[in-house]
Structures are given as C-alpha cells and as structure tokens.
Amino acid sequence: GMFLAKGSVNDPSKSNYHLEIACDYQEEVDYIINVLAEYGIEASMVDRKRRLVVYVKKSEQIGDFLKLIGATNTLFFFENERIKRDLNNVVNRVLNCDIANSDRTQMASLRQLKQIKFIEERSGFGNLSNRLMEVIILRTNHPDSSLSELSELSEETVGRYLSKSHINHCLRDIDEMAKKLGYEEEN
C-alpha cells in the first residue's frame, strides 16, 4: 500500500534503475527497510526536500520487489528492458574489444612493414632465411591481416601452411634484426 500511495519505479529504458517510496516519518522508513530486508532487498534512505525517501537501486532487487507486490505486468516490462540494456552493454563491450584488437593489429602491421622496409634498405634480403622471407612476403601481401588471418592465407601466398605461432616468432626475429641494424621506433 505504501508503494502504491507514495512509490515509483523509473522507466528502465530511459535512465538508471531506481525504485523509491516517499515517507513522512522515520518510523515508516525503518519499517519499510526492515520489511524489505526480510525478503533480501537492500534499501537505503535519503532526506530529500523535507521528505524521507527509501530507495532501491539494484535491478535484480527491484525485480524481486515487483514480484513480491504482485506487479506482474510491470515486472515483465522491467525485466524485458533490463535484458535489452544488458544485451546492448555486452554488444558494446565486444565491439569495443574488437575495435581495440583491430587498432592493435593495424599498429603492429604498420610497425612490421616499416621494419621490413628498413631491413631491405639497410642490408637487403639476400642473407635472410627462407622462413623469414616467407613471412615477409606474407606480411607485405596482406598488410591489414591479423596473425590468425596470415596463417590462414599462408598456403595460398607462400605455398605452405605457417602457424600463427611460427609467423609470430619470425616477426619477432625481424623486429630484433631491424633493431640490430639501427631501427628506432617513432613515438
């Protein structure tokens, strides 16, 4: 009854999760907080404009409260919006991770191409092993590819399968060789 008279739940699609019940007396606040605690719902109090407000911010607990008071339709709406928001957050995290990985791949590729060009200008490729030459050919033919993609493209590009690990070791050897020849990274 107190929730129906003086309570509200914000629209979960528009802002943060928030349930509140306005109270006139500290005794009401204490009673509501204690009753909610019996059901495992953590509530807090804030003094707002001469009113005491009991609030719950955890989305799972707001859902529990709606279920407890029998507000089934509101619970379904609330949970549906919460699921949509959670899904959007997961998708955004995955996209951000993919973008960061793509950025790192591009930066590494650019550095590797500069090192390859530096080695070619300083000492040429005449003294390089076949394994390093295969990776140089692979990298220069596929400058935007990740190590996994280079591995997948290796058979058609150099005539044999090269593992991701093999390519990575060769690129490290190329890095060391470039540094021994005086290559310095630009900051």
Side-chain angles (χ1 to χ4, degrees):
M2 293 178 84
F3 176 74
L4 289 175
K6 300 179 184 181
S8 66
V9 176
N10 70 324
D11 183 348
S13 65
K14 295 182 179 162
S15 62
N16 291 330
Y17 306 113
H18 191 83
L19 174 145
E20 64 180 46
I21 302 171
C23 300
D24 295 317
Y25 306 103
Q26 183 65 44
E27 292 80 18
E28 292 175 323
V29 169
D30 295 338
Y31 176 76
I32 292 170
I33 289 175
N34 288 333
V35 169
L36 293 176
E38 289 176 20
Y39 293 97
I41 299 171
E42 298 172 32
S44 300
M45 185 213 59
V46 65
D47 192 348
R48 188 184 307 148
K49 296 180 186 174
R50 293 172 289 167
R51 286 212 107 155
L52 302 173
V53 178
V54 174
Y55 66 90
V56 178
K57 286 198 170 268
K58 293 183 179 176
S59 60
E60 297 86 6
Q61 294 184 356
I62 293 172
D64 291 344
F65 177 83
L66 294 171
K67 185 170 134 185
L68 178 68
I69 64 170
T72 310
N73 289 339
T74 303
L75 173 63
F76 288 147
F77 172 77
F78 181 82
E79 290 297 335
N80 189 45
E81 290 301 315
R82 188 168 75 101
I83 290 167
K84 285 182 196 174
R85 246 171 109 172
D86 289 349
L87 180 62
N88 284 338
N89 288 340
V90 168
V91 168
N92 283 338
R93 277 195 289 279
V94 168
L95 284 175
N96 289 341
C97 185
D98 284 348
I99 289 168
N101 284 341
S102 177
D103 288 349
R104 279 195 302 275
T105 297
Q106 286 180 331
M107 288 173 36
S109 175
L110 183 61
R111 184 188 74 249
Q112 292 158 359
L113 290 168
K114 286 179 181 179
Q115 290 171 335
I116 290 167
K117 185 176 181 183
F118 183 82
I119 291 170
E120 182 180 25
E121 290 171 354
R122 282 291 169 104
S123 65
F125 294 145
N127 294 332
L128 296 182
S129 66
N130 285 342
R131 68 187 262 287
L132 292 182
M133 280 309 300
E134 288 173 337
V135 171
I136 288 172
I137 292 167
L138 197 54
R139 172 47 80 205
T140 54
N141 284 332
H142 306 286
D144 296 327
S145 298
S146 67
L147 293 181
S148 297
E149 294 165 338
L150 289 175
S151 179
E152 292 171 14
L153 295 164
S154 64
E155 203 155 352
E156 72 182 59
T157 305
V158 296
R160 72 183 187 104
Y161 173 78
L162 303 176
S163 70
K164 179 181 165 184
S165 175
H166 174 84
I167 294 167
N168 188 43
H169 285 292
C170 289
L171 288 169
R172 277 198 225 146
D173 290 347
I174 289 168
D175 178 63
E176 287 178 28
M177 183 181 300
K179 286 178 181 173
K180 284 180 185 174
L181 291 171
Y183 177 81
E184 293 182 23
E185 289 188 44
E186 302 159 6
N187 292 329

